[in-house]
Amino acid sequence: MKRPALSIVVPCYNEAACLDILHARVSAAAKAAVGEDYEIVLVNDGSKDASWPTMQRLAAADPHLVAINLSRNHGHQLALTAGLDLCCGAQIMIIDADLQDPPELLADMRATMIAEQADVVYAVRRKREGESVFKKLTAAIFYRVLDRVTDTPIPLDTGDFRLMSRRALDAFLSLPEQARFIRGMVAWIGFRQVPYLYDRAERHAGETKYPLAKMIRFALDAVTGFSTAPLRFASHVGLALTGASLLLFVYIAIGFFTGTAVQGWTSTMLVVVLLGAVQMFVLGMIGEYLGRLYVESKRRPLYLVADVAGPVQGRATLGYRAEPVAIAAPVALPEPASKPATKPAPAARRKPRIKPPATPA
Ligand code: UDP
Ligand code: MG
């Protein structure tokens, strides 16, 4: 199979209302950029709405479109990984399904990639339309805290909307972790990466698929995936508390020798409560790392594909990952050669257990 010049990869979760317009706008942008030499890879991440039938309908009418149906909701970052695994373009654009990232910027991003001789052009949000103050504020704080604690410099206010070269994508696909913070992982691979400023639009339809709980998990994946600073924090706190307890020891000794030892219930309680809280916090932090270690150690596949619609021949081998990702229909195993061919199959020899239904009189 020939590599198309461009792949556009879109993870979708309950985005049926966006798909038609997404398809139209992405197709127009791709045609303007590379003519007919492109593919669109839509990944259905276990949607509960009509996303999959819509994708099948679109794929039946458009030979540029490949749709992948995951076996269940695997989460945004894994759905995106599935699409990136299975796409085969020489350049790869990642975009959200809700049209918050305008596909029309493709031409300009490609021009930037060529002008800057970059392997990655990542889109940086200058403005975010139609998002809640809470989301904007937490996002702003999150990216800044992340920047402080991580060892890899991860660009601020940057989502997954980006253009990548094939060699950058192949480098990215060689990272095997389960807890995937893709924008950080792409930053980690290196090569030449340049920012591209844009204004983030409002969602075309529906609402965000990132409720608070998912956002927290995502943030924890980011921090634990790229930094051991929280673990270092534990030892720093331990050191500081040791110093403080030495001072306390002096205070206790003075109280003992001057006979004022009974007083001080308040301070005792304060110390107990504070130490308890700090211990729980540090334990929880260690737990976050331990839990992720546990998940990684199971080495499960990152995602499972249930169905594919569109031109997919040769994709499993073209994809970087060697493990099978598509579950094929059950294959009949050949009979062992030693068995005589005339011997009836065991099922046929056995008497049927279920009585045939009585024929009506
Ligand atoms: N998404 C996904 N699986 C999920 C959650 C989200 O594939 O479990 C997709 C979603 O359809 C969208 C993209 O990830 O294309 C980003 O999600 P969303 O727009 O809801 O996030 P926000 O822009 O609000 O941060
Ligand atoms: Mg969005």
Side-chain angles (χ1 to χ4, degrees), residues 106-184:
L106 170 66
D108 218 16
M109 286 168 83
R110 288 187 84 227
T112 308
M113 183 173 245
I114 294 164
E116 300 269 350
Q117 297 201 322
D119 277 281
V120 179
V121 177
Y122 56 89
V124 179
R125 299 154 183 178
R126 194 162 40 192
K127 259 200 246 160
R128 301 169 72 119
E129 297 287 345
E131 289 184 302
S132 67
V133 177
F134 178 74
K135 176 130 193 171
K136 284 186 207 169
L137 189 72
T138 46
I141 296 172
F142 165 65
Y143 284 113
R144 274 141 197 91
V145 170
L146 190 65
D147 191 45
R148 290 291 295 274
V149 301
T150 51
D151 314 321
T152 311
I154 298 171
L156 297 179
D157 304 320
T158 302
D160 291 322
F161 182 30
R162 62 189 61 222
L163 188 66
M164 293 170 79
S165 68
R166 173 48 60 176
R167 72 166 182 172
L169 180 68
D170 282 349
F172 163 79
L173 290 175
S174 71
L175 309 189
E177 57 251 57
Q178 294 271 343
R180 295 175 92 74
F181 180 62
I182 291 177
R183 52 205 78 168

Side-chain angles (χ1 to χ4, degrees), residues 316-333:
T317 47
L318 256 182
Y320 192 88
R321 200 170 299 275
E323 295 100 291
V325 288
I327 307 242
V331 181
L333 292 174

Side-chain angles (χ1 to χ4, degrees), residues 15 96 98 100 131 200 203 208:
E15 304 283 13
D96 279 356
D98 57 5
Q100 281 195 284
E131 289 184 302
R200 197 160 203 234
R203 230 176 193 287
T208 176

Side-chain angles (χ1 to χ4, degrees), residues 248 265-279:
L248 207 65
W265 181 84
T266 316
S267 55
T268 313
M269 284 313 283
L270 269 177
V271 171
V272 169
V273 168
L274 181 75
L275 278 189
V278 169
Q279 277 175 4

Side-chain angles (χ1 to χ4, degrees), residues 33-316:
V34 294
E36 294 297 318
D37 199 15
Y38 70 94
E39 64 169 6
I40 302 173
V41 179
L42 299 181
V43 184
N44 176 37
D45 187 18
S47 299
K48 295 184 185 71
D49 68 354
S51 292
W52 179 240
T54 310
M55 284 182 195
Q56 284 176 303
R57 167 169 60 75
L58 290 171
D62 179 5
H64 293 289
L65 198 147
V66 184
I68 301 165
N69 190 27
L70 297 189
S71 62
R72 61 171 170 84
N73 179 252
H74 282 74
H76 175 202
Q77 301 287 292
L78 292 180
L80 182 50
T81 303
L84 292 174
D85 248 345
L86 287 142
C87 76
C88 39
Q91 273 181 354
I92 299 92
M93 164 129 137
I94 303 174
I95 194 165
D96 279 356
D98 57 5
L99 293 166
Q100 281 195 284
D101 313 323
E104 293 74 21
L105 299 181
L106 170 66
D108 218 16
M109 286 168 83
R110 288 187 84 227
T112 308
M113 183 173 245
I114 294 164
E116 300 269 350
Q117 297 201 322
D119 277 281
V120 179
V121 177
Y122 56 89
V124 179
R125 299 154 183 178
R126 194 162 40 192
K127 259 200 246 160
R128 301 169 72 119
E129 297 287 345
E131 289 184 302
S132 67
V133 177
F134 178 74
K135 176 130 193 171
K136 284 186 207 169
L137 189 72
T138 46
I141 296 172
F142 165 65
Y143 284 113
R144 274 141 197 91
V145 170
L146 190 65
D147 191 45
R148 290 291 295 274
V149 301
T150 51
D151 314 321
T152 311
I154 298 171
L156 297 179
D157 304 320
T158 302
D160 291 322
F161 182 30
R162 62 189 61 222
L163 188 66
M164 293 170 79
S165 68
R166 173 48 60 176
R167 72 166 182 172
L169 180 68
D170 282 349
F172 163 79
L173 290 175
S174 71
L175 309 189
E177 57 251 57
Q178 294 271 343
R180 295 175 92 74
F181 180 62
I182 291 177
R183 52 205 78 168
M185 291 163 70
V186 174
W188 181 90
I189 61 168
F191 300 108
R192 184 160 163 71
Q193 310 204 2
V194 295
Y196 177 88
L197 285 176
Y198 82 115
D199 296 332
R200 197 160 203 234
E202 265 183 70
R203 230 176 193 287
H204 170 70
E207 50 196 46
T208 176
K209 308 299 180 309
Y210 265 98
L212 185 62
K214 267 196 199 170
M215 261 159 63
I216 292 174
R217 201 190 145 82
F218 185 64
L220 281 173
D221 278 347
V223 173
T224 55
F226 286 88
S227 166
T228 49
L231 289 177
R232 279 203 300 278
F233 171 76
S235 51
H236 291 172
V237 170
L239 204 68
L241 284 177
T242 312
S245 61
L246 281 179
L247 291 179
L248 207 65
F249 183 75
V250 174
Y251 172 74
I252 292 166
I254 292 171
F256 180 75
F257 287 116
T258 56
T260 53
V262 206
Q263 284 181 345
W265 181 84
T266 316
S267 55
T268 313
M269 284 313 283
L270 269 177
V271 171
V272 169
V273 168
L274 181 75
L275 278 189
V278 169
Q279 277 175 4
M280 288 311 279
F281 179 66
V282 168
L283 261 180
M285 227 149 55
I286 296 170
E288 290 290 341
Y289 283 88
L290 197 67
R292 280 168 176 73
L293 245 159
Y294 169 65
V295 171
E296 295 292 347
S297 71
K298 288 195 275 193
R299 304 180 63 84
R300 290 194 178 159
L302 297 177
Y303 57 85
L304 292 169
V305 175
D307 318 280
V308 186
V312 287
Q313 285 77 14
R315 234 162 248 276

